[in-house]
Each structure stands twice: as structure tokens, then as C-alpha cells.
Amino acid sequence: MSECVKYVLAGIERNCANPVQKGVEKTGWIVNRDHVDLINSKVVGSKITALEFNEGAPDKPLFPIVIAGKTPFNGLKSSLVVGTYSNSWTKEAPIVILDTGAAVVENVINPLTAADSSFILIVENKFKGKDGDNAYEVLGFDQGLVASAGENDKYNEECDGGWKVTLTEEAAAHAALFLEPALEEATGAAVTKTFIESKAWTKPTENA
């Protein structure tokens, strides 16, 4: 029997004990996909159980993205694409940057929108799932997120005149992937948060 055939493996019903919640938290983390060791990182089912980084990656390769407002990452979605022989997913991640300074353009906007740039994004779902199983969702692991749109409208009320860049991943094999690395033989949302914090870049102090 072909291993490519997929079967529904659980019943579908409303989860009254842990109701679904829409949206994501205001902080996400982005990493240059070239810095991720995709060979030694491990995917089991819908879980990334090991996220490894290449030797050339910075010590803190995860860069925080903090988006203000009531609906951070508004427009974040995954859409099914039906193909002739196989189906895939397109994922979109709009990012609003409320700053139009020269340093932001040089360090953020230009790299985000470069033609040869590719990224992986981690977002924290408001719906954490049982034991936090789906707290941290990963986009761009399969094919990479690349810039598909960018805009700076000085009078745009949605962005307060700031930048808006949309990152898109096409032909992703997984509908969703969730980060749950095992640290010291432990797993779970708290362990994953510790892993992220250990790899997250922090802004240097003014006197550093």
C-alpha cells in the first residue's frame, strides 16, 4: 500500500474543554533560512522536534518581531493549493513595521525584500492546544518565506505611515508545523519557550 495515501486518524468534533481561539500573540521570531541546518533539524509528523543552526549562524539567530495593535500579524493564513498530482499549501505572513528610519530600511526592509532572501517565522498562537502542543507555529520551514509584497504609504492609517511587507511561502508540504524541540529529554510549551529565549537576539544597551 502506498505511503503517500493519507487517512483521517481521529474524529472531528468541537473541543469544548479547550475551545479554539483566533489570532496570535504580538511577538514572533524570524530567522534567516540560510542559518538553519535543515539536514539535522528533525520533523516528526506535524512537529519540529529539533531545530538546529548552521555553524555560520549568529549565536542568537532568532530576531523578535513585535507588532502592536489588537490584531498582530493580521492576514496571517494558510491556503490549500490543489495540484494535478499532489496538493500543497501557500502561507502568507504580513508584517507591519511602525518605523521608517534609515536604520530600519538598511537592517530590516532591504534584507526582508531582497530577491535572494528566505526566512522562517515562528508565531505564538493564542490557541495553545492541550498542554501547549500547538503554541508555537512555524512558517517557511518547507520552502522558505520570501517577500511577495512591500509598501510604504505615508498616509496609510493601518500602518500609521510605516512599512508593510508580506512574506509568502509557496508549495509547502505541511498544512502547519509546530515547534517542540526536546531539551534535556523534556518537551512542552514551557521547554519550547526556553529554547526560543535562549536563541533570541536582544537589543544591545546604549552604552554597550
Side-chain angles (χ1 to χ4, degrees):
M1 184 177 293
S2 172
E3 294 182 358
C4 293
V5 176
K6 303 298 182 181
Y7 300 99
V8 173
L9 300 176
I12 301 172
E13 59 183 8
R14 184 176 182 179
N15 189 342
C16 295
N18 188 21
V20 67
Q21 300 179 59
K22 62 182 178 180
V24 297
E25 307 292 355
K26 67 178 182 179
T27 301
W29 299 266
I30 194 167
V31 58
N32 295 290
R33 195 166 181 268
D34 286 346
H35 289 158
V36 175
D37 184 350
L38 296 169
I39 294 176
N40 291 307
S41 296
K42 296 180 181 178
V43 177
V44 179
S46 61
K47 296 286 186 69
I48 298 174
T49 58
L51 185 63
E52 304 291 342
F53 300 97
N54 291 317
E55 289 186 3
D59 291 336
K60 305 287 187 177
L62 300 180
F63 291 88
I65 300 175
V66 182
I67 298 183
K70 296 180 180 179
T71 55
F73 298 96
N74 189 20
L76 184 69
K77 65 179 182 179
S78 300
S79 303
L80 179 66
V81 178
V82 178
T84 302
Y85 301 106
S86 62
N87 296 340
S88 63
W89 293 85
T90 294
K91 303 177 183 183
E92 294 182 20
I95 298 173
V96 173
I97 301 104
L98 300 179
D99 191 329
T100 58
V104 168
V105 171
E106 180 179 354
N107 298 320
V108 178
I109 303 301
N110 287 345
L112 275 180
T113 56
D116 57 350
S117 292
S118 182
F119 304 95
I120 291 173
L121 177 68
I122 302 171
V123 295
E124 183 179 357
N125 290 316
K126 288 189 174 180
F127 178 58
K128 315 296 184 190
K130 182 181 179 182
D131 300 324
D133 280 350
N134 47 274
Y136 296 98
E137 189 167 341
V138 181
L139 298 86
F141 188 88
D142 284 334
Q143 297 289 338
L145 287 162
V146 298
S148 58
E151 182 180 64
N152 175 225
D153 184 340
K154 300 299 184 183
Y155 293 97
N156 186 308
E157 294 185 4
E158 177 190 359
C159 304
D160 288 341
W163 290 92
K164 183 176 182 180
V165 176
T166 300
L167 300 178
T168 300
E169 178 184 24
E170 296 181 334
H174 297 88
L177 284 171
F178 302 93
L179 180 63
E180 191 179 343
L183 300 179
E184 298 178 357
E185 298 182 354
T187 60
V191 172
T192 305
K193 183 178 180 181
T194 299
F195 170 81
I196 291 173
E197 290 176 347
S198 72
K199 297 294 183 180
W201 176 88
T202 55
K203 185 177 181 179
T205 59
E206 295 294 331
N207 297 325

